Amino acid sequence: MTKLNQRSKRTVAVVAALIVLAIVCRVLGNSGFYPRAIGLVRSIIYIFLFAVWGFPLQRRIMQNWQRRYMAAIAICMSFWFSLRTLKYHFIPAATMPDVARLAWYAYYIPMLLIPMLSLLTAVSLGKPEYYRPPKLLHLLWAPTILLILTVLTNDLHQTVFVFPKEYPIWTDDHYSYGPMYGVAMLWILLAAIIALGIIFRKCRLPRSKRVLWLPLVPFFLMLAYALLYIMGIPVIRLFLGDLTTVSCLLIALIFESCIQCGLIRSNSHYAELFRASSIAAQITDRDLNVCYAAQAIQSVERKVLERAKQETVILDGGIRLCAEPIRDGYVFWQEDISALLALLDELSGTKEELESYNGLLEEENKQKRRRKRLEEQKRLFDMVQETIKPHLLLLSEVSKELQTAGTEDAARKALGKLAVIGAYLKRRSNLIMLSDSLGQTPAEELHLCLQESEANLRLCGVTCALRFDLAAQLPFDAVGTLFDFYETAVELSLDTLTDLTVFATGNAWSPRITLMLSCDADLAELSTAFENASITKEDRFCQD
C-alpha cells in the first residue's frame, strides 16, 4: 500500500471532513431542519468534491485515453448532482412539470455513461502510455447512446417510464417501469460488474502472489453497501441512504486508489520518485534550502552551492557539481567524471610523449630535408660538372695561353676566349638549374645566352648577328643541345673566326639553330659530337 505524504494526508482529511459534513446535512435535512438550504449545501459539497477530483486528472494521468475516460466520469458525476440540485431546488414540479421531467430523464445520461466509461477505464488499466483502445471496444458506445435516447424520448413511447392515464400531468410521483427500463438497468449493472471484475483481476499482479489491496478496499465497501442497502438496514438508510451519492463516491475512490497504488500511471509522487532516482541531483529554493534530493547525491555545504551557481565545481573523488536556475529556485546535479579525469591525465601524459616524439620527428625531418637538399645540390653539381667538364679543360688551356702570351694582342685574344668560355659556363649552369626547378626552359633564356656570348665575341673582334624566332617553352634537352652546338662551333673556330651569324627558328617540338661562320677552322668534329649536325664547308656555315 502506498505510503501517504503529509500533503496527501491533509487532502484525505479535508475530503473525509467534507463527506462527514454532507452526511450530517442529509441527517439534518431528513429531520426537517431547513431541508431546502441543507440539501443545497449538501449538493454543493458533492459537486465541489467531484470537480476538484476531476479537474487535476488532466495533468495527473499520463495515458491519454485513461485521462479522457476518467475526466468524463468526473464531469458526469458533477453533471448528475447539478441536475439533482436544479430539479429539487430550482425547478418547481407543479409549475414546470415538463422541465422537471426532462431533468429527471437527463439523470440517465450520467447513469448510463458512468458504468460504460468505468468499463473502458478498467480495460485500459496497466496499459502502456501509448495505448489506444481497439476499435471493437468503441461499439460499447452504441447501446449506451441508444438507451440514453430512449430515455430522453420516453414521452413519445413510454417504454421506460409508464404514466397512469388518470394523471394528466406526468411526474416522478406517479409512474411505473416499462421494459426498456429493465434493459437500461441490466446494461448499467452488466457494465459495472464487468468493470469491477476487471479491476479486481488486475489487482492481482501476474506471475506473482502480490495483490494490490488499496483498490480492493472501496471495491469490497461497494459490495457490502449494496448488500446492506438491499437488506434495508435502518442505519444505512439514515446515514447512507442516497445510493447515487455513495456509488459515485466509491467509484471515484476506486479509481483514485488505482492511481495511488500505481495501477493507473500518474505523474504525482514527485518527491518519492526524485528520491529513488539514480540521478545525483537536488532541487533547492532561491535561498538554497533543499526541497527535493535524490539518495545518490553527495551532501555539500551551502558555500559550495553558492559557488556552483557561478561556475562548475569539482568535488573530492572526481565529482563535478553543476547548477542551473529554475523557477523559484535552482537544480544542482553531480556527475562522476573521475574516469574522465583519469583519462585526461593519461591523455596529458600521452600528449607530452607525443610532443617529445614529434620534436624528434621534426628534427629528423629537418635532417632528412637538409640531406635531401645536399644530395640535390650534389646531383646538380655533378650534372653541371659533367656537362661543362670539356669546356673547363679548354678554359684551363686558354688560361695557360694567357700566362705565356708574349704580346699584347695575344693576351687580348686569350682574354676574349676566356670571356666567351666563361659566359658559356655561367649560362649553361644556369640552364641546368632552371630545368631542374621548372621542368622546361623558356626560349628567352636561350636568347639571353646567345646575346651574352655574342657580346663577348665582339670583344674578340668578331662581327656578330642574331635572329631569334623561338617563343615558347622548350624542352631542356633541346635548349642544352642547341647551346652546346653553338658553343662547340664557336670554340672550334674562335682562333680564326671573323664573322658569325645565328638563326634560331622552329617551334617547341622542332627547334633549330643555324650558324654562318667565317673562319679557317675544320668543323668536321661537330658531325661527330652532334648526330643531327649538318656542315657545308664550301659556303662556310654549319647548321643543326
Side-chain angles (χ1 to χ4, degrees):
M1 186 176 296
T2 304
K3 184 179 180 180
L4 300 178
N5 55 28
Q6 290 297 118
R7 184 176 179 180
S8 299
K9 290 178 181 179
R10 288 195 297 268
T11 302
V12 171
V14 171
V15 171
L18 289 175
I19 293 175
V20 170
L21 179 59
I23 293 174
V24 172
C25 290
R26 171 181 169 79
V27 175
L28 292 177
N30 290 339
S31 64
F33 182 78
Y34 295 101
R36 182 181 178 87
I38 292 296
L40 185 61
V41 171
R42 175 171 166 268
S43 297
I44 291 174
I45 290 175
Y46 286 123
I47 293 173
F48 172 77
L49 286 176
F50 293 128
V52 169
W53 175 70
F55 181 75
L57 292 175
Q58 293 296 325
R59 59 182 178 82
R60 290 177 64 197
I61 307 305
M62 299 175 63
Q63 190 191 107
N64 289 334
W65 288 97
Q66 279 183 346
R67 181 168 61 247
R68 295 170 186 172
Y69 294 150
M70 295 179 65
I73 290 173
I75 292 172
C76 287
M77 291 177 178
S78 300
F79 175 68
W80 195 352
F81 279 87
S82 299
L83 279 177
R84 286 180 47 170
T85 304
L86 289 174
K87 181 178 182 300
Y88 289 108
H89 298 284
F90 298 100
I91 302 176
T95 58
M96 303 175 66
D98 294 336
V99 177
R101 188 172 63 257
L102 184 60
W104 172 36
Y105 290 165
Y107 284 179
Y108 287 84
I109 297 176
M111 285 178 63
L112 287 163
L113 286 177
I114 290 174
M116 190 269 295
L117 291 169
S118 300
L119 176 57
L120 294 176
T121 305
V123 172
S124 65
L125 291 179
K127 302 296 183 181
E129 190 173 345
Y130 53 84
Y131 166 78
R132 293 182 63 86
K135 295 182 179 179
L136 189 63
L137 200 62
H138 293 303
L139 295 178
L140 294 175
W141 288 94
T144 304
I145 294 175
L146 181 62
L147 289 172
I148 290 174
L149 294 176
T150 302
V151 175
L152 294 178
T153 59
N154 181 72
D155 289 352
L156 302 178
H157 47 75
Q158 294 193 36
T159 57
V160 181
F161 304 107
V162 181
F163 300 99
K165 294 181 180 180
E166 60 269 19
Y167 292 97
I169 299 177
W170 296 347
T171 65
D172 56 351
D173 294 331
H174 305 283
Y175 69 93
S176 60
Y177 297 111
M180 291 305 297
Y181 179 82
V183 174
M185 291 299 104
L186 180 62
W187 178 250
I188 292 173
L189 184 62
L190 183 63
I193 292 174
I194 295 176
L196 293 174
I198 293 175
I199 294 174
F200 181 82
R201 180 176 61 84
K202 290 190 176 183
C203 285
R204 300 180 62 87
L205 299 181
R207 296 182 296 274
S208 173
K209 295 182 179 181
R210 184 184 173 191
V211 177
L212 299 176
W213 290 103
L214 188 59
L216 298 181
V217 174
F219 178 84
F220 290 121
L221 287 177
M222 180 176 287
L223 294 180
Y225 172 76
L227 181 61
L228 295 175
Y229 187 86
I230 294 172
M231 294 172 61
I233 304 299
V235 176
I236 297 298
R237 293 285 184 173
L238 176 62
F239 293 100
L240 302 174
D242 191 343
L243 180 62
T244 300
T245 301
V246 177
S247 299
C248 289
L249 286 174
L250 290 175
I251 290 173
L253 185 58
I254 288 174
F255 287 122
E256 183 62 30
S257 300
C258 292
I259 294 174
Q260 294 298 324
C261 70
L263 196 57
I264 295 178
R265 296 184 181 182
S266 67
N267 57 1
S268 56
H269 303 289
Y270 296 109
E272 294 85 349
L273 178 63
F274 201 85
R275 185 165 51 252
S277 173
S278 60
I279 300 175
Q282 64 182 13
I283 297 176
T284 68
D285 58 16
R286 294 189 182 276
D287 297 327
L288 300 182
N289 296 314
V290 178
C291 301
Y292 301 101
Q295 293 177 347
I297 194 167
Q298 177 181 328
S299 178
V300 295
E301 298 179 356
R302 181 185 292 268
K303 61 181 181 181
V304 178
L305 296 180
E306 286 283 358
R307 189 154 57 94
K309 289 164 51 178
Q310 308 299 327
E311 60 182 3
T312 301
V313 178
I314 303 299
L315 305 176
D316 296 337
I319 304 298
R320 179 170 61 186
L321 177 62
C322 306
E324 281 293 333
I326 58 176
R327 189 176 64 179
D328 298 329
Y330 300 90
V331 57
F332 297 89
W333 70 93
Q334 298 175 358
E335 300 174 341
D336 186 0
I337 60 171
S338 56
L340 180 60
L341 293 176
L343 180 60
L344 288 176
D345 290 339
E346 182 180 351
L347 290 177
S348 177
T350 305
K351 178 184 176 182
E352 293 178 358
E353 292 179 4
L354 290 177
E355 288 178 349
S356 176
Y357 182 67
N358 185 55
L360 294 176
L361 288 179
E362 184 66 25
E363 187 62 30
E364 183 179 351
N365 289 333
K366 287 181 180 179
Q367 294 294 336
K368 287 182 178 179
R369 287 194 296 269
R370 188 179 299 112
R371 186 167 57 252
K372 184 71 174 178
R373 187 166 57 251
L374 292 175
E375 290 176 356
E376 185 65 17
Q377 291 174 354
K378 182 178 182 300
R379 184 184 66 82
L380 291 175
F381 178 78
D382 291 343
M383 184 184 297
V384 171
Q385 183 74 13
E386 184 67 25
T387 303
I388 66 174
K389 182 177 181 180
H391 303 277
L392 287 174
L393 296 175
L394 179 60
L395 184 66
S396 177
E397 293 176 0
V398 173
S399 298
K400 292 178 181 179
E401 292 178 5
L402 178 61
Q403 293 175 358
T404 58
T407 64
E408 183 178 347
D409 291 339
R412 185 182 301 111
K413 189 173 184 179
L415 285 174
K417 288 183 179 180
L418 287 176
V420 172
I421 298 171
Y424 167 77
L425 295 177
K426 181 186 74 171
R427 285 293 179 176
R428 191 65 176 90
S429 300
N430 186 51
L431 289 177
I432 293 174
M433 299 296 181
L434 285 176
S435 66
D436 187 74
S437 59
L438 300 178
Q440 289 185 329
T441 305
E444 184 62 25
E445 288 294 327
L446 178 59
H447 190 194
L448 294 174
C449 293
L450 296 175
Q451 284 181 333
E452 184 174 353
S453 179
E454 289 190 351
N456 291 318
L457 286 173
R458 290 188 183 96
L459 295 177
C460 297
V462 180
T463 301
C464 300
L466 172 63
R467 182 177 178 181
F468 195 88
D469 291 332
L470 290 173
Q473 294 285 337
L474 301 177
F476 164 70
D477 293 340
V479 173
T481 300
L482 293 177
F483 193 40
D484 288 346
F485 174 77
Y486 165 84
E487 181 65 22
T488 304
V490 169
E491 291 177 356
L492 290 175
S493 62
L494 189 58
D495 290 336
T496 60
L497 182 63
T498 58
D499 297 285
L500 173 63
T501 302
V502 181
F503 298 93
T505 58
N507 51 44
W509 298 277
S510 179
R512 181 184 181 89
I513 188 169
T514 302
L515 305 179
M516 298 178 64
L517 302 96
S518 296
C519 62
D520 295 331
D522 184 7
L523 302 179
E525 186 179 338
L526 290 174
S527 299
T528 305
F530 301 94
E531 295 180 359
N532 296 325
S534 176
I535 303 172
T536 303
K537 295 181 180 180
E538 292 78 9
D539 296 332
R540 293 181 178 273
F541 77 93
C542 59
Q543 64 181 9
D544 181 24

